[in-house]
Amino acid sequence: MGIVSLGNQTITEFVLLGFYNIPELHLLFFIVFTVIYASIIIGNMLIIVAVISSQRLHTPMYFFLGNLSFLEILYTSTVMPKMLEGFLQEAAISVAGCLFQFFTFGSLATAECFLLAVMAYDRYLAICFPLRYPLLMGPKWCLGLVATAWFSGFMVDGLVVALMAQLKFCGPNHIDHFYCDFMPLVKLACSDHRVAQVTTFVLSLVCLTVPFGLILTSYARILVAVLRVPAGASRRKAFSTCSSHLVVVSTFYGTLMVLYIEPSAVHSLLLSKVFSLLYTVVTPIFNPVMYTLRNREVHQALRRLLYFKQTETLD
């Protein structure tokens, strides 16, 4: 099946096994994950449309949120279509396609690590320095922070993929996962993968712990500042906004740290896949749920947008 000789590299494609060991649930999984995927796309698209269309949402917080929503759409779309295909038939992917999927997915995941840290820093400035906030978080600085987050993701994972592209895959060609992740892929390499593995570990350690440390520092200072404010609407709003962010952050960083910094903590392949589902599927659906359903300003923007569309239709 698609195996021809290419010098020392005989494999030209991989087969993603996904959840092959529970075939009786494949149809149910296909339906459930199709609904989840559609919800992720629609929910995050609504946030983007609301942010773009409402003048009141043209603030740094919602600019970052719109970027996060766009990132989540791309992030999920690199993994879920192939996973859904695997529930219906054998999901084959070329070696080049597999490396490209890993590069795209890894780059977006790394960019999200930095973007979540940027969002925490933004809330820290807004709550702790409200009078200086417009000056500290100006348009150019916002754009620079977002560009740095995106660029860092593609730069870091570009290095990892460049090392992985040097590996030889001679067989077998079955990846026991639902997408091309690092560990399941390097286990199939028939050449020395220690350099790629050590480099990935170091980069994962830096790209996870540094932004996570910045987030914890930001929220520790936010907590101190909020507790000084008399109980009331301002304190409730601050806690609501920050708690939404922390739910997303905890799920995202927690699963990534377990899988990429301490993979030995996951004792089975099935558990590894379940952990992977948390940051590939659960976190992207948390974004519209936590930021939209609990946010009055986004509600109002969407209602105005829907009302305008209905009025346009009636006219």
Side-chain angles (χ1 to χ4, degrees):
M1 89 187 297
I3 300 179
V4 296
S5 179
L6 280 177
N8 292 328
Q9 184 163 320
T10 56
I11 290 177
T12 60
E13 70 176 25
F14 294 110
V15 176
L16 296 169
L17 296 179
F19 297 91
Y20 71 97
N21 51 340
I22 41 177
E24 65 277 5
L25 295 177
H26 279 188
L27 182 58
L28 175 62
F29 282 170
F30 177 80
I31 295 170
V32 170
F33 284 112
T34 298
V35 171
I36 291 174
Y37 182 43
S39 301
I40 290 170
I41 299 298
I42 294 169
N44 283 291
M45 279 299 298
L46 284 173
I47 291 177
I48 293 171
V49 170
V51 170
I52 292 173
S53 63
S54 175
Q55 192 69 32
R56 292 182 63 185
L57 300 185
H58 290 181
T59 63
M61 173 180 164
Y62 292 107
F63 173 66
F64 297 137
L65 179 57
N67 271 272
L68 181 63
S69 292
F70 180 57
L71 191 152
E72 297 282 25
I73 291 172
L74 297 178
Y75 174 74
T76 311
S77 296
T78 61
V79 172
M80 290 201 72
K82 211 65 184 176
M83 182 176 75
L84 293 174
E85 180 187 338
F87 291 133
L88 300 179
Q89 61 182 22
E90 188 175 77
I93 185 170
S94 67
V95 173
C98 192
L99 290 175
F100 181 72
Q101 186 192 54
F102 173 75
F103 168 68
T104 306
F105 178 79
S107 298
L108 294 170
T110 305
E112 183 160 347
C113 288
F114 288 108
L115 188 56
L116 288 171
V118 167
M119 293 175 73
Y121 175 65
D122 170 69
R123 291 300 83 207
Y124 160 67
L125 291 181
I127 293 170
C128 297
F129 303 98
L131 298 179
R132 295 173 57 198
Y133 176 70
L135 181 63
L136 293 172
M137 196 58 77
K140 289 183 179 179
W141 183 235
C142 288
L143 190 60
L145 288 171
V146 167
T148 301
W150 282 89
F151 178 73
S152 298
F154 286 96
M155 184 177 66
V156 167
D157 283 87
L159 175 59
V160 174
V161 172
L163 292 172
M164 291 178 67
Q166 306 304 313
L167 300 178
K168 301 297 181 183
F169 299 96
C170 311
N173 70 332
H174 289 76
I175 298 177
D176 196 0
H177 214 310
F178 57 87
Y179 72 98
C180 293
D181 202 5
F182 179 76
M183 287 307 296
L185 192 56
V186 296
K187 284 179 181 177
L188 299 181
C190 54
S191 57
D192 189 358
H193 55 74
R194 283 175 297 181
V195 174
Q197 197 160 355
V198 171
T199 302
T200 302
F201 172 77
V202 172
L203 291 175
S204 297
L205 190 65
V206 172
C207 293
L208 286 170
T209 57
V210 171
F212 191 56
L214 291 172
I215 289 171
L216 292 180
T217 302
S218 296
Y219 278 106
R221 295 187 175 184
I222 287 171
L223 182 61
V224 171
V226 170
L227 290 175
R228 289 174 181 165
V229 177
S234 297
R235 180 188 280 193
R236 284 196 301 272
K237 184 177 180 181
F239 271 125
S240 176
T241 302
C242 295
S243 62
S244 299
H245 191 193
L246 279 174
V247 169
V248 177
V249 166
S250 300
T251 306
F252 184 73
Y253 278 95
T255 52
L256 283 177
M257 284 179 177
V258 170
L259 289 174
Y260 290 97
I261 295 179
E262 191 53 51
S264 59
V266 182
H267 300 294
S268 73
L269 288 170
L270 180 60
L271 189 59
S272 174
K273 293 173 191 177
V274 171
F275 268 86
S276 297
L277 283 174
L278 287 176
Y279 68 84
T280 56
V281 177
V282 176
T283 300
I285 207 166
F286 265 179
N287 183 24
V289 170
M290 300 307 294
Y291 285 105
T292 307
L293 295 183
R294 300 177 61 189
N295 191 303
R296 187 178 299 174
E297 290 174 321
V298 175
H299 281 181
Q300 291 172 348
L302 288 173
R303 276 199 296 267
R304 283 195 299 271
L305 183 65
L306 291 172
Y307 176 76
F308 176 74
K309 290 293 183 185
Q310 287 173 355
T311 305
E312 228 180 26
T313 305
L314 291 174
D315 290 345

